[in-house]
Amino acid sequence: MYGMSGPHVIRGSVALPEAELVWRFSRSSGPGGQHVNTSDSQVELRFDLARTEALPEVWKERALERLAGRLVDGVISVRASEHRSQWRNREAAAVRLAALLAEATAPPPKPRRPTRIPRGINERRLRQKKQRSDTKRGRTGRDW
């Protein structure tokens, strides 16, 4: 496509391949006046995640696993209709798809290393509990 605001980068040097994106346009709901019935401003962007060669194999497996609920036959689709112009909706859809893939292909977080609670912290907590209970016990009016 000409004039698109550059390749939509997923992460690093990997970007959405323009050749593998399938665009569909339809009439959008919402405001728009007289123009609304004639323009196909809603955009649906489809990307075949299962058959793409643009993503590294590890990323692809990760994305297929994480986006399993959103995929239909290995294809992920994103809709955009918040803008009145088809052009801005295309941009929004492409950015949304890139963000979705970036999140889905991100490496899993490092496992948490269990740490011990320092003894001083535990002792201080117990000391404060004891103090509080003494304060409250002192409030009962038995020796008046």
Side-chain angles (χ1 to χ4, degrees):
M1 280 283 68
Y2 56 91
M4 204 76 161
S5 68
H8 292 281
V9 177
I10 296 172
R11 195 168 52 257
S13 62
V14 181
L16 280 175
E18 197 59 51
E20 293 184 26
L21 300 179
V22 180
W23 300 91
R24 256 183 57 206
F25 309 103
S26 57
R27 294 200 181 130
S28 187
S29 63
Q34 295 162 329
H35 183 59
V36 76
N37 297 326
T38 58
S39 63
D40 292 344
S41 61
Q42 178 171 281
V43 173
E44 186 183 350
L45 174 58
R46 297 163 67 82
F47 179 65
D48 196 338
L49 190 57
R51 292 187 193 80
T52 186
E53 298 295 316
L55 297 177
E57 204 54 44
V58 184
W59 286 22
K60 198 155 93 169
E61 285 169 22
R62 226 181 265 156
L64 283 169
E65 189 180 315
R66 290 184 186 165
L67 297 173
R70 281 195 66 158
L71 297 175
V72 178
D73 298 331
V75 178
I76 186 155
S77 71
V78 174
R79 262 208 183 102
S81 62
E82 59 267 23
H83 301 292
R84 281 175 59 172
S85 90
Q86 184 190 97
W87 194 249
R88 286 175 64 194
N89 280 333
R90 289 177 69 126
E91 284 289 300
V95 166
R96 212 174 290 163
L97 180 64
L100 196 66
L101 288 174
E103 197 178 312
T105 58
K110 290 192 176 107
R112 183 186 172 278
R113 250 180 49 218
T115 54
R116 283 189 51 225
I117 298 171
R119 197 163 86 215
I121 288 177
N122 232 350
E123 286 173 355
R124 187 175 23 179
R125 181 180 61 86
L126 293 173
R127 202 168 39 251
Q128 286 171 343
K129 274 173 71 94
K130 184 87 178 120
Q131 217 171 3
R132 185 92 181 124
S133 90
D134 289 346
T135 303
K136 288 192 168 193
R137 191 177 305 124
R139 289 181 187 154
T140 56
R142 43 169 208 263
D143 54 336
W144 281 61

